[in-house]
Amino acid sequence: MVLRRYFDNCSLSVDKVSFSIVIIGNATKKEFFEALTNLGFECKRDYRIKNNKKKYKRRRKYIVENSVIIFTYQRRNDASFLPDIWCVYQDPSRPVLNLLDSLCNSLGFVTKVSQVELAIDFPYTRKLKRFFNKYLYLKFNRGNPCVVGKGDKKSCYSGNKAKNSKTTIVYQKIINGTNHLRLELILNRRIIKRLNLDLRMEVVNNLDLSQFVCFRKFSHILSKFFNWGCDAF
């Protein structure tokens, strides 16, 4: 089968993890950030958010293993239901996630994962992109796929981040100077809760992606290619 080679050569990873931190006990945000520095997290920037529409006042940007971690904290008075600290970790690694989980536990903080973005990268061809745009199907989604952007920057969306517990995005991405086609699967809180995904991400490698996505008219042929464990870490 012509398409098989694309699936044989694809790579999977966790592209982003977003989680909240709620402070319980006597430890403070200051102790948390001091502990991060002692553990080797390099703070690149600590600044006040100037946009008054934002619900947090401050933000810290850290560089760890060439990845970016952003902590947003000091919530506004009119946003009392938000977590004490909101974290977005781009290109995460499991050891760092485990370290953050252990640190929060030691300080008496509670963590809750709210969004996980899985990325599947394929060698890019126009034929494969047209195939994905035409046949990729997000299961149990009532909305129709839509295309956003122009030219090579077009992205095909299925699902709605605000209304769906999962979303797919297909778009071109340059990785190490080579053009790839990325299929991004975004899992929101409802799916994460059902899968029991916590900050240690111990379940993620066992996910059967075929429970989320398939290919119209080709499911009987290609379903086996989505029966991998993620093998993301």
Side-chain angles (χ1 to χ4, degrees):
M1 184 178 180
V2 176
L3 289 167
R4 177 167 185 165
R5 69 176 183 270
Y6 298 115
F7 289 85
D8 288 342
N9 295 326
C10 68
S11 62
L12 297 91
S13 62
V14 179
D15 186 50
K16 185 189 295 182
V17 175
S18 302
F19 61 95
S20 62
I21 300 174
V22 178
I23 296 175
I24 296 177
N26 298 322
T28 63
K29 298 184 189 72
K30 182 179 179 181
E31 291 177 76
F32 174 73
F33 290 128
E34 286 177 350
L36 287 179
T37 302
N38 294 334
L39 291 170
F41 286 65
E42 182 184 359
C43 183
K44 282 295 186 179
R45 194 178 177 197
D46 183 3
Y47 59 98
R48 186 176 182 85
I49 301 173
K50 295 181 180 180
N51 188 341
N52 291 330
K53 294 182 180 179
K54 298 291 184 181
K55 295 183 178 181
Y56 286 96
K57 296 180 181 180
R58 297 197 66 84
R59 184 170 289 160
R60 282 183 180 236
K61 180 179 179 180
Y62 286 82
I63 303 296
V64 182
E65 298 180 350
N66 297 318
S67 297
V68 176
I69 305 180
I70 295 178
F71 295 96
T72 310
Y73 65 105
Q74 202 177 95
R75 60 194 178 201
R76 296 167 59 91
N77 293 333
D78 57 350
S80 57
F81 293 102
L82 292 175
D84 297 288
I85 304 173
W86 177 254
C87 178
V88 177
Y89 184 3
Q90 189 74 43
D91 298 321
S93 73
R94 173 167 281 170
V96 173
L97 286 172
N98 291 345
L99 189 60
L100 286 170
D101 186 60
S102 298
L103 173 59
C104 290
N105 289 337
S106 68
L107 293 173
F109 296 171
V110 175
T111 61
K112 181 183 292 185
V113 179
S114 298
Q115 184 168 292
V116 175
E117 297 184 12
L118 301 175
I120 311 171
D121 294 315
F122 299 85
Y124 176 82
T125 67
R126 289 186 178 180
K127 180 180 179 180
L128 183 64
K129 186 176 182 181
R130 287 195 298 267
F131 175 81
F132 270 63
N133 290 349
K134 185 175 182 179
Y135 295 109
L136 182 67
Y137 178 69
L138 180 64
K139 289 186 175 180
F140 311 110
N141 172 45
R142 297 180 181 179
N144 294 319
C146 65
V147 177
V148 178
K150 296 180 180 180
D152 292 339
K153 295 184 178 180
K154 283 183 179 179
S155 299
C156 185
Y157 288 78
S158 294
N160 184 298
K161 283 188 178 182
K163 297 179 181 180
N164 289 74
S165 55
K166 60 193 178 306
T167 307
T168 60
I169 310 172
V170 178
Y171 59 97
Q172 288 180 243
K173 185 176 179 66
I174 304 297
I175 303 175
N176 298 324
T178 304
N179 202 6
H180 288 75
L181 185 67
R182 169 164 287 190
L183 166 59
E184 199 169 281
L185 176 62
I186 302 174
L187 306 179
N188 285 350
R189 181 60 195 159
R190 189 171 67 180
I191 292 289
I192 290 169
K193 186 177 181 179
R194 176 169 67 81
L195 296 173
N196 292 318
L197 270 174
D198 59 18
L199 197 56
R200 290 185 173 268
M201 294 287 127
E202 293 175 346
V203 181
V204 73
N205 279 354
N206 297 321
L207 290 182
D208 177 4
L209 300 185
S210 65
Q211 66 181 301
F212 306 117
V213 292
C214 65
F215 293 98
R216 285 193 181 100
K217 300 181 182 180
F218 286 86
S219 296
H220 62 291
I221 300 174
L222 294 177
S223 61
K224 63 180 180 179
F225 295 113
F226 271 154
N227 283 326
W228 332 290
C230 273
D231 197 21
F233 285 116

